Amino acid sequence: MIRLYNTLTRKKEDFVTLEPNRVKLYVCGVTVYNDAHVGHAMSAIVFDIVRRYLEYRGYEVKHVMNYTDVDDKIINRANALGEDPLKLSQRYIEDYAKNLADLNVLPATSNPQVSKTMPLIIKFIEGLIEKEHAYPAPNGDVYFRVVSDEDYGKLSGRKLEDMQAGARVEVGEMKQHPMDFALWKAAKPGEISWDSPWGKGRPGWHIECSAMNLAELGEQIDIHGGGNDLIFPHHENEIAQTESYTGKQFARYWIHNGMLQLGGEKMSKSLGNIISIHDFLKTRSADVMRMLVLMGSYRAPLIFNDETQDAAEKSLDRVKSALRPASPSASGLAAGAAAELAAQAESTKQAFIAAMDDDFNSPLALAALYELVKAINTARDNGANDDQLAPAQNALRELTGVFGLQLKEKTGSSEAEAQVKALIAERNEARKQKNWARSDELRDQLKALGVAIEDSKDGTTWRWS
RNA sequence: GGCGUCGUGGCCAAGUGGUAAGGCAAGGGUCUGCAAAACCCUCACCACGGGUUCAAAUCCCGUCGACGCCUCCA
């Protein structure tokens, strides 16, 4: 039984889907107006692993991730660049899709966009007005009436009274209650806009997700996810809108990832402490980013610095060490030892599943993988041949695959490879003559080329490092 | 000020009543011409102060501190 921490109840709960073996998963995507950063990568990877794990456990997952392509920031940036806002956002949608592919994030089942959901958004708002959950203001805005929603604040644990006491709530003169929020914003002159019963305008931020959810997944969904910075107001308002509109519970489980921290602060576009996904991938692999995410709980803040990145990289090397072939002169393992390795593969699999079933406890699942890594390496040291290693290595591949790790060994061009082989041949000759000085010199040369040398009884092996 | 999450070894991080997983780093060892890789060994009384209990990192109260949200934000 899978258990999930549900933000709505602040407890771990048994995961029971609306329909057997099917999961409706909606994850808030990004607002597309500039490069996405590694914080977005973290969120995307977290939910990619959720999706991959649910599929591994036999669920058919319908995974929806939206793009917010109509928004103040997009309009501002487009104005600054003298570009059409929808062209700009389309450009960044394609860019983000490439980021995700580079990170080995599986494409969502669908990627709805605000600009393509306008009729439904308008219909949704009309429905809310009809039910007196919303009201048009004289200036052409439409607001959601928070006092009409008796359990408003249930996700974030806030009460309307508390929020009114807060110093930073601004009372808009068009609003009946300071916490009322815009469903529709009247267009300012020259702004991109759509026709509506309330005049030209565009949707507020929250209504789009309610509408796209309804369009893609229906009135009720299993899991709604996103960064924990979206809990309030975004997800709170989504709940208010959708439940007021349908009269049914919206999402059963709300899951939120923690924030990626750079220098002790949340990485965010507003703070400007950003490392883009493009820049990250210039020096590190997608696997490193994924490993970084896996090393901690998805709900906790992720400490992102050189030290943690190095640790992630080394940890990956360790996992990869188990996937190397048997030594050339492997004499074969005794039957008992081979059976032991098979048993370890099986118990690792069980431990992995038990860990991941418990609210995606990836650090614990990783610990199980390292046990298998150790067992495989020990077996190899003890003379296991490739056939004997294969089942355990396949199990390791299977489980790391659930994490979306690719575990590729580095490669070089064929010319470089030819050069390396020549140097190694020369070195072997020197070693035969016990010319250690020359041998070590050649090893240094190879190291400079990025080649690691390993000598053993049965000869020299090498790999790109 | 309000709401929420949290404070475990040098770093990252599991563990939510019975005397602390794992990874990285570090030190020692096996192997090696020397290395490297792999393997073996060593390395914490869990922010602080009270309390509950036969027993607490784990429950309760308090203090201090960190982070997130309350404004756009994955």
Side-chain angles (χ1 to χ4, degrees), chain A residues 50-96:
Chain A
V50 166
R51 181 254 183 94
R52 285 174 187 264
Y53 185 68
L54 292 173
E55 289 180 342
Y56 181 66
R57 296 289 269 122
Y59 290 96
E60 183 192 324
V61 180
K62 188 155 186 204
H63 173 199
V64 177
M65 187 200 74
N66 71 290
Y67 284 114
T68 297
D69 64 348
V70 178
D71 162 273
D72 283 340
K73 295 197 170 178
I74 296 170
I75 292 170
N76 291 341
R77 183 104 203 282
N79 286 343
L81 296 177
E83 190 174 359
D84 174 73
L86 289 180
K87 276 218 178 88
L88 175 98
S89 53
Q90 194 56 41
R91 204 147 55 74
Y92 281 107
I93 284 172
E94 283 157 24
D95 191 59
Y96 190 60

Side-chain angles (χ1 to χ4, degrees), chain A residues 291 295 315-316 318-319 365-375:
Chain A
M291 187 53 113
M295 287 191 317
S315 301
L316 279 168
R318 177 157 177 72
V319 176
L366 276 176
L369 295 186
Y370 291 124
E371 272 192 62
L372 182 55
V373 165
K374 189 179 288 185

Side-chain angles (χ1 to χ4, degrees), chain A residues 114-188:
Chain A
V114 180
S115 63
K116 297 175 180 170
T117 317
M118 233 27 100
L120 182 64
I121 289 174
I122 289 168
K123 188 175 159 228
F124 204 119
I125 297 173
E126 284 180 313
L128 286 172
I129 293 174
E130 235 165 75
K131 294 180 180 173
E132 302 193 346
H133 287 296
Y135 55 92
N139 68 344
D141 289 348
V142 179
Y143 291 101
F144 185 87
R145 180 179 279 131
V146 287
V147 295
S148 76
D149 182 23
E150 62 294 331
D151 54 7
Y152 186 78
K154 67 180 172 184
L155 180 68
S156 56
R158 291 154 206 251
K159 298 189 180 82
L160 280 175
E161 309 84 72
D162 294 341
M163 289 187 279
Q164 286 182 75
R168 292 161 94 178
V169 175
E170 280 175 38
V171 182
E173 61 286 358
M174 294 295 160
K175 298 181 186 178
Q176 296 175 355
H177 184 285
M179 292 311 295
D180 286 353
F181 55 90
L183 298 172
W184 189 260
K185 294 177 170 180
K188 297 185 191 112

